[in-house]
Amino acid sequence: DSTVPALRPGDLFAGEFRVLAPLAERGMGAVYLAEQLSTGKTRELKLLKSEFTRDPRTRERFEQEARVASRIESEHVVEVVSAGIDARSDTPWFAMELLEGGDLASYMRRRGPLPLDEARQILGQIGHALAAAHRAGIVHRDLKPENVFIATTHQRDRTLVVKVLDFGIAKILAEARAAQRDTAAIG
């Protein structure tokens, strides 16, 4: 039986990640704070929830989220640093850069109407991420404030950095066009 292991602080996952703490349950995944042993860096480790591991479509969507984000050349897309399937539990997982901050929806609830310069900065960074995705032949298809992360930064010239998240239902245009050609030929 394939289930997501119950991870606790101190557990080792996929031979590479020491679990530090659970972070959240988001959509189809459970997210943990973990140390990547090979680098010593703290990462977000996302695992497919056990109720979804046997559903091929959901499993593919989860695995696509990691692959797609890695194809986009933009510092405004969350960086996926590693991915795989845990051999012991047959659980798909991926590790991302650790972001500090919160999503755009929470940010706006807390702040209220944004000054024009700040709104311009946020929208410009979202635009950069989407333009890079489109150059890579990828359309996000689920862009909403909950999938835009406002991260704190250590850069001198910026107060915030925007990261676009969750490419799980992105459309990969080249693959979609190939599927349409195949369907047309069959029809």
Side-chain angles (χ1 to χ4, degrees), residues 148-167:
V148 174
F149 197 90
I150 306 297
T152 57
T153 179
H154 303 290
Q155 298 176 14
R156 288 184 315 176
D157 60 337
R158 281 195 193 159
T159 56
L160 57 86
V161 173
V162 173
K163 297 283 188 167
V164 176
L165 312 173
D166 196 1
F167 280 85

Side-chain angles (χ1 to χ4, degrees), residues 1-7 13 25 28-32 45-54 59 62 86 88-93:
D1 187 28
S2 174
T3 61
V4 172
L7 298 181
F13 183 79
E25 299 254 339
M28 57 191 162
V31 183
Y32 295 88
L45 177 64
K46 187 172 183 179
L47 285 62
L48 184 63
K49 289 181 189 174
S50 60
E51 63 260 32
F52 299 117
T53 57
R54 291 198 183 276
R59 191 174 174 117
F62 183 86
D86 180 56
R88 263 187 345 152
S89 63
D90 193 37
T91 301
W93 61 271

Side-chain angles (χ1 to χ4, degrees), residues 26 51 95 121 125 141:
R26 293 188 201 134
E51 63 260 32
Q121 184 180 8
Q125 292 180 45
R141 297 196 329 165

Side-chain angles (χ1 to χ4, degrees), residues 20-38:
L20 302 174
L23 283 180
E25 299 254 339
R26 293 188 201 134
M28 57 191 162
V31 183
Y32 295 88
L33 187 65
E35 177 188 4
Q36 186 175 13
L37 298 179
S38 63

Side-chain angles (χ1 to χ4, degrees), residues 23-124:
L23 283 180
E25 299 254 339
R26 293 188 201 134
M28 57 191 162
V31 183
Y32 295 88
L33 187 65
E35 177 188 4
Q36 186 175 13
L37 298 179
S38 63
T39 64
K41 293 213 44 130
T42 304
R43 305 289 189 193
E44 280 193 28
L45 177 64
K46 187 172 183 179
L47 285 62
L48 184 63
K49 289 181 189 174
S50 60
E51 63 260 32
F52 299 117
T53 57
R54 291 198 183 276
D55 177 16
R57 290 179 59 187
T58 305
R59 191 174 174 117
E60 172 59 28
R61 179 180 165 199
F62 183 86
E63 293 169 3
Q64 176 176 302
E65 184 178 349
R67 285 192 315 273
V68 167
S70 296
R71 291 171 52 176
I72 302 170
E73 298 293 328
S74 173
E75 64 270 19
H76 301 295
V77 172
V78 67
E79 181 186 6
V80 174
V81 297
S82 190
I85 297 175
D86 180 56
R88 263 187 345 152
S89 63
D90 193 37
T91 301
W93 61 271
F94 60 89
M96 304 171 284
E97 66 180 304
L98 178 63
L99 301 175
E100 296 178 25
D103 67 39
L104 181 58
S106 302
Y107 187 79
M108 298 216 30
R109 274 194 302 276
R110 210 173 48 253
R111 299 278 316 275
L114 300 178
L116 185 57
D117 282 348
E118 189 173 0
R120 187 178 300 124
Q121 184 180 8
I122 291 169
L123 291 171

